Each structure stands twice: as structure tokens, then as C-alpha cells.
Amino acid sequence: PQRYSEFGRRGFHDGIQGARRDYGNRRYPDPNNRDEYRDPHVPPQFVHQYREGFRRGYEMAASQLWTNR
């Protein structure tokens, strides 16, 4: 989404990909289990923005994937 900063958009995209991987590996949907969420490779001042975007992307994808299972 355009309302996110560059790091928020990257987190959103990574969150969608993380949910897809968890779904494909039949893991319980939880963004806290993703390394990218726990230890994002972004400058410290952007960690919050990245995680916020990641969580939103993950939750959006997870709600679609696990609902349709």
C-alpha cells in the first residue's frame, strides 16, 4: 500500500511471502515465528514500520489462505 514508507511496503510484501511459506509448510499462522519479523534487516529506526507492514501483510494473506484450506 502507498500509505506505507519504503520499509513498511517491504515489510508488507515480506509478510505476504512469509504467510505463503508457512501455509505451504503447514505451519501454524503466526508472524512472530518468522525470522524476517523478529530480526528484520532494516536500519534500527525503521524496524517498527517494517514490522507493522509485515504483520498487516501476513494477516491479510493468512486470512485468505487458511480460510480457504
Side-chain angles (χ1 to χ4, degrees):
Q2 289 299 323
R3 67 183 182 156
Y4 290 135
S5 69
E6 172 189 348
F7 294 102
R9 282 192 298 276
R10 190 164 107 198
F12 187 85
H13 179 266
D14 290 352
I16 291 171
Q17 295 304 314
R20 288 178 178 164
R21 286 187 200 106
D22 285 351
Y23 180 80
N25 292 323
R26 297 186 178 269
R27 293 181 64 190
Y28 181 79
D30 184 355
N32 293 307
N33 290 333
R34 301 294 314 168
D35 289 337
E36 312 92 91
Y37 180 80
R38 289 192 317 264
D39 186 26
H41 297 287
V42 299
Q45 67 267 32
F46 298 111
V47 167
H48 177 74
Q49 292 174 19
Y50 177 88
R51 285 184 177 156
E52 182 179 318
F54 187 100
R55 182 172 289 283
R56 289 181 188 259
Y58 190 100
E59 290 173 351
M60 184 189 78
S63 70
Q64 293 174 358
L65 293 167
W66 274 269
T67 300
N68 294 325
R69 182 174 259 186

